[in-house]
Amino acid sequence: MHFADPLILQSGESIADYSLMYETYGTLNADKSNAVLVCHALNASHHVAGVYADNSNKIGWWDNMVGPGKTLDTDRFFVIGINNLGSCFGSTGPMHTNPQTGKPYGADFPVVTVEDWVNAQARLIAALGITQLAAVMGGSLGGMQALSWSMLYPDRVRNCVVIAATDKLSAQNIAFNDVARQAILTDPDFHGGDFYAHGVVPKRGLTVARMIGHITYLSNDVMAEKFGRELRTGKYQYDFGVDFEIESYLRYQGEKFSEYFDANTYLLITKALDYFDPAASHGGDLAKAFENVTARFLLVSFTTDWRFSPECSRAVVQALLQSRRDVTYAEVDAPHGHDAFLLDDVRYHKLLRAWYDRVYDDIATRVQVEVKA
Amino acid sequence: MHFADPLILQSGESIADYSLMYETYGTLNADKSNAVLVCHALNASHHVAGVYADNSNKIGWWDNMVGPGKTLDTDRFFVIGINNLGSCFGSTGPMHTNPQTGKPYGADFPVVTVEDWVNAQARLIAALGITQLAAVMGGSLGGMQALSWSMLYPDRVRNCVVIAATDKLSAQNIAFNDVARQAILTDPDFHGGDFYAHGVVPKRGLTVARMIGHITYLSNDVMAEKFGRELRTGKYQYDFGVDFEIESYLRYQGEKFSEYFDANTYLLITKALDYFDPAASHGGDLAKAFENVTARFLLVSFTTDWRFSPECSRAVVQALLQSRRDVTYAEVDAPHGHDAFLLDDVRYHKLLRAWYDRVYDDIATRVQVEVKA
């Protein structure tokens, strides 16, 4: 969807003219009350579920969650996936032409925040004729967008599902992001963000960045169980090639990532993560930030998630309770670390299914009430 | 000290001719029974304590621990610090000339293990005329060397002090090391390890490697307390320079490190960490690895150390108990993470002081017994 009106950003800059790539699943009902927006995390996109007719390999990133008869049931809900501004999967981003220069934006693409993304998404939702979303849902950075929606557009969010997220990154979180950024920024092939013109990609930096990220997505336990000290050839090589399976796995993940992900996008998205802190404009009081919020909340965390640990979710729950909001919270005892939010844990999916049953009943009840009236 | 006899390494390779840089503090007593070997961790050296007459800025890395009247009292003990083979502070390492080629070893310096280091150290200790060390002591990688000493030279170690260490790295530990190595190996200025000939240093890789390492040395809590989300200028910059204090701190640490540390040494030392696993040659049974050990052990861990967590030390203690060794274990409730072993925590130092009192009494008693006999 193309937007001709400029979008004023949190930084004060603006984007004059932009497009958002989106996908929908299921059918919007007559009163447009069954729409669920699914927000994506760092390296994902609008392609939330299913496969394309011409490419059956490219499965949506939350396909175990979203689909006909699935946890978020597209026979009941109209699900929307939007690729965020500055990302590299179709929405306007650093590799697109800057209308002011006629060249790719590169490092000149303005720094966007979670709030900027939500404002851009809100325009798309409005253009679809939806005045209130049945739910906004996301995991990790996606959960931060869901939180932000509840604050920026309280009237337009009926339910808010925030999974494995936080209201603000810790110093350690920021540290990991900054090391990843430094790996990219100092890669000679980055060329100050203008690598497109040089026909190269900062592969080394992106690989290292992804390896670092990946370590923080997995729990120590699951890494120990999946890889342990397993050697690739059964013995030490006494060189700096691959000795351990974990090395092979991480390097592979890093290299794969460097082949499809844009380096400027990586910088932008980690910055959006670092900057998110809705309590900051309320003197650090998160409860105050929730004062005008009306959505019902579901928060989920995973016990072994050390990127955004249960403590982070508990702090959000505390603030919601303090401002007397309707909140349900579950701490799922899952071994997989941060990645658990993308996996098919039975208790986690059961919980969400029950939650969406309530959301659906609520829609049906409202429709009946309106028919009666 | 120069060694002309070749040292056969665990890999099967050998080093024909090498030197070890060492320092001593205090006086070796008449029967040479008061010697304590202090083994160093990743980026440290033989310079354990004090300052040099001509350079009062270069304080030893464990100066709060070792010195006259200090916890490890050099009025009582003869303390030895040795720079390990392959390091970059004077002992034979990658920047030295390979006698076979007449050029710097670079990447051709053989991969050395903790066991290789201990074998090299043992020669130096023997050359000093010391048949039994009153104690071997180390933190982190230094603790692994102490453990290894107790197994490889059971008759030569009377006490073994192992702080914030582990008997083997976890998959997560290895993962962090490998990302750091990849950052160095893929830096174009690394030149396959021969950067000396090119007059450059892989600064970018070393900086990123050190930043990653540094994150794992600090606890989440201490990072939150010291830096939190503190901004350097009080507001977001909306670029990829420094926003947060933690970024400034880590980049500074990384750059400083890249100016004095050798990249090949970094690769070697992280490999030695990854390879250490004394139970492996005993079918994974650590208790069996301790079967011939005679030293008395003190193990210390720190509650917030997530690099080598208390669980790691507990596993070693369990194995020692299982093989009926004499072991004392303390888990110190310190906020500083892995770095705590280098800091001046009162309870930690009190404990070590009491331990060394016992070691000293034991020496004195033995001397008396010998005099009587």
Side-chain angles (χ1 to χ4, degrees):
Chain A
M1 192 180 284
H2 182 255
F3 299 85
D5 284 347
L7 185 77
I8 311 293
L9 304 173
Q10 199 179 318
S11 63
E13 290 199 51
S14 67
I15 298 184
D17 174 29
Y18 64 96
S19 295
L20 292 180
M21 193 68 118
Y22 73 107
E23 275 181 23
T24 68
Y25 318 85
T27 311
L28 191 60
N29 62 8
D31 68 343
K32 301 186 174 178
S33 63
N34 70 333
V36 176
L37 172 64
V38 173
C39 302
H40 71 77
L42 204 148
N43 69 320
S45 72
H46 53 284
H47 183 39
V48 176
V51 293
Y52 300 120
D54 61 349
N55 184 352
S56 62
N57 291 323
K58 223 178 153 187
I59 302 165
W61 58 272
W62 222 350
D63 190 67
N64 64 23
M65 180 69 73
V66 177
K70 293 189 182 175
T71 307
L72 174 47
D73 188 350
T74 52
D75 289 339
R76 292 174 154 191
F77 294 102
F78 178 68
V79 176
I80 306 155
I82 305 178
N83 188 218
N84 284 328
L85 260 183
S87 181
C88 50
F89 299 108
S91 293
T92 301
M95 70 293 297
H96 292 127
T97 304
N98 179 349
Q100 287 178 347
T101 64
K103 290 185 206 161
Y105 278 103
D108 289 338
F109 196 88
V111 170
V112 283
T113 64
V114 168
E115 287 79 0
D116 294 331
W117 286 336
V118 168
N119 287 332
Q121 291 163 6
R123 285 192 181 175
L124 189 144
I125 299 300
L128 294 176
I130 298 160
T131 51
Q132 190 183 49
L133 290 160
V136 185
M137 176 184 186
S140 191
L141 179 54
M144 297 180 194
Q145 292 161 59
L147 270 181
S148 186
W149 259 97
S150 77
M151 295 170 181
L152 294 180
Y153 298 98
D155 303 338
R156 305 201 209 170
V157 183
R158 205 158 169 83
N159 293 280
C160 185
V161 185
V162 179
I163 306 168
T166 182
D167 67 300
K168 59 175 183 290
L169 265 64
S170 69
Q172 192 188 68
N173 293 146
I174 294 169
F176 278 121
N177 280 344
D178 198 49
V179 185
R181 280 193 295 264
Q182 288 304 109
I184 292 169
L185 289 164
T186 63
D187 184 332
D189 285 341
F190 182 65
H191 292 288
D194 294 329
F195 53 88
Y196 316 108
H198 292 79
V200 290
V201 164
K203 260 184 82 80
R204 294 175 290 250
L206 271 169
T207 301
V208 167
R210 181 59 167 177
M211 288 174 80
I212 295 167
H214 216 90
I215 298 175
T216 69
Y217 304 151
L218 300 179
S219 72
N220 195 8
D221 287 352
V222 88
M223 258 199 189
E225 198 189 302
K226 259 177 102 166
F227 303 102
R229 295 180 53 83
E230 211 59 53
L231 292 164
R232 209 185 184 189
T233 65
K235 57 179 202 261
Y236 291 160
Q237 299 301 306
Y238 297 102
D239 61 27
F240 304 113
V242 167
D243 270 303
F244 295 92
E245 288 291 355
I246 181 68
E247 296 173 316
S248 166
Y249 173 78
L250 278 184
R251 292 185 196 180
Y252 174 78
Q253 293 292 336
E255 274 162 37
K256 207 176 65 176
F257 184 73
S258 75
E259 281 158 17
Y260 76 81
F261 208 81
D262 178 72
N264 285 307
T265 292
Y266 200 90
L267 299 178
L268 288 170
I269 294 192
T270 53
K271 234 7 179 183
L273 273 161
D274 290 359
Y275 280 178
F276 189 60
D277 185 6
S281 54
H282 295 82
D285 185 346
L286 188 59
K288 272 207 181 132
F290 284 127
E291 239 165 27
N292 299 315
V293 164
T294 55
R296 284 182 306 198
F297 286 82
L298 172 64
L299 275 94
V300 183
S301 72
F302 301 96
T303 48
T304 57
D305 183 353
W306 64 279
R307 185 176 173 88
F308 301 143
S309 72
E311 282 74 19
C312 301
S313 290
R314 281 187 220 145
V316 176
V317 170
Q318 285 289 355
L320 283 165
L321 290 174
Q322 208 180 317
S323 57
R324 305 188 174 276
R325 302 301 130 197
D326 182 340
V327 55
T328 300
Y329 174 51
E331 217 164 285
V332 182
D333 184 14
H336 305 98
H338 190 61
D339 257 4
F341 88 87
L342 293 167
L343 301 178
D344 206 3
D345 183 278
V346 175
R347 287 163 304 174
Y348 165 48
H349 277 257
K350 258 192 167 171
L351 168 77
L352 280 166
R353 193 179 278 272
W355 176 268
Y356 276 114
D357 278 349
R358 198 173 83 160
V359 174
Y360 187 67
D361 288 349
D362 173 49
I363 292 169
T365 311
R366 274 195 296 153
V367 171
Q368 282 177 345
V369 170
E370 278 158 25
V371 168
K372 271 191 191 165
Chain B
M1 192 179 285
H2 181 256
F3 299 85
D5 284 346
L7 184 77
I8 310 294
L9 304 173
Q10 198 178 319
S11 63
E13 290 199 52
S14 67
I15 297 183
D17 175 29
Y18 64 97
S19 296
L20 292 180
M21 193 69 118
Y22 72 106
E23 274 180 24
T24 68
Y25 318 85
T27 310
L28 190 60
N29 62 8
D31 68 343
K32 300 186 175 178
S33 63
N34 71 333
V36 176
L37 172 64
V38 172
C39 303
H40 72 76
L42 205 148
N43 68 321
S45 73
H46 53 286
H47 184 39
V48 175
V51 293
Y52 300 120
D54 61 348
N55 185 352
S56 62
N57 291 322
K58 224 179 153 187
I59 302 165
W61 59 271
W62 221 351
D63 189 67
N64 64 22
M65 179 70 73
V66 177
K70 294 191 182 174
T71 306
L72 174 47
D73 188 350
T74 52
D75 289 338
R76 293 174 154 194
F77 294 101
F78 177 67
V79 176
I80 307 155
I82 305 179
N83 187 219
N84 284 327
L85 260 183
S87 182
C88 49
F89 298 108
S91 294
T92 300
M95 71 292 297
H96 293 126
T97 304
N98 180 349
Q100 289 178 347
T101 64
K103 289 183 206 163
Y105 278 103
D108 289 338
F109 195 88
V111 169
V112 283
T113 64
V114 168
E115 286 80 0
D116 295 331
W117 286 336
V118 168
N119 287 331
Q121 290 162 7
R123 285 192 182 175
L124 189 144
I125 299 300
L128 294 176
I130 298 160
T131 51
Q132 190 182 48
L133 290 160
V136 185
M137 176 185 187
S140 192
L141 178 55
M144 297 180 195
Q145 292 161 60
L147 269 181
S148 186
W149 259 97
S150 77
M151 295 171 182
L152 294 179
Y153 298 98
D155 303 338
R156 304 202 211 169
V157 183
R158 205 157 169 83
N159 293 280
C160 185
V161 185
V162 179
I163 306 168
T166 181
D167 66 301
K168 59 175 184 289
L169 265 65
S170 69
Q172 192 188 68
N173 292 146
I174 296 169
F176 278 122
N177 280 345
D178 198 49
V179 184
R181 280 192 296 264
Q182 288 304 110
I184 291 169
L185 289 164
T186 64
D187 185 330
D189 285 340
F190 182 65
H191 292 289
D194 296 329
F195 51 90
Y196 316 108
H198 293 79
V200 290
V201 163
K203 260 184 81 79
R204 293 175 290 250
L206 270 169
T207 301
V208 166
R210 181 59 167 178
M211 288 174 80
I212 294 167
H214 216 90
I215 298 174
T216 70
Y217 304 150
L218 299 179
S219 73
N220 195 8
D221 286 353
V222 89
M223 257 200 190
E225 197 189 302
K226 258 176 105 168
F227 304 102
R229 296 180 52 82
E230 212 59 53
L231 293 165
R232 209 184 183 191
T233 64
K235 57 179 202 267
Y236 292 159
Q237 298 301 307
Y238 296 103
D239 60 27
F240 304 114
V242 168
D243 270 303
F244 295 92
E245 289 290 356
I246 181 68
E247 297 174 314
S248 167
Y249 173 78
L250 278 184
R251 291 185 197 181
Y252 173 77
Q253 293 292 336
E255 274 161 38
K256 206 175 64 174
F257 184 73
S258 75
E259 282 158 16
Y260 77 80
F261 208 81
D262 177 72
N264 285 307
T265 293
Y266 200 91
L267 300 178
L268 288 170
I269 293 192
T270 54
K271 238 356 180 190
L273 274 161
D274 291 359
Y275 280 178
F276 188 60
D277 185 6
S281 54
H282 295 82
D285 185 346
L286 187 60
K288 273 206 179 132
F290 284 127
E291 240 164 27
N292 299 315
V293 164
T294 55
R296 283 183 307 197
F297 286 83
L298 171 64
L299 275 93
V300 183
S301 73
F302 301 95
T303 47
T304 57
D305 183 353
W306 63 280
R307 184 175 173 90
F308 301 143
S309 72
E311 283 74 19
C312 301
S313 290
R314 281 187 219 146
V316 176
V317 170
Q318 284 290 355
L320 283 165
L321 290 174
Q322 209 181 315
S323 56
R324 304 186 174 277
R325 301 300 128 197
D326 182 339
V327 54
T328 301
Y329 174 51
E331 217 164 285
V332 182
D333 184 15
H336 306 98
H338 189 61
D339 258 3
F341 88 87
L342 292 167
L343 302 179
D344 206 4
D345 184 278
V346 175
R347 287 163 304 173
Y348 164 49
H349 277 258
K350 259 192 166 171
L351 168 77
L352 280 165
R353 193 179 278 272
W355 177 268
Y356 277 112
D357 278 348
R358 198 174 82 160
V359 174
Y360 188 67
D361 288 348
D362 173 50
I363 292 169
T365 311
R366 275 195 296 154
V367 170
Q368 282 177 342
V369 170
E370 279 157 25
V371 168
K372 272 192 192 164

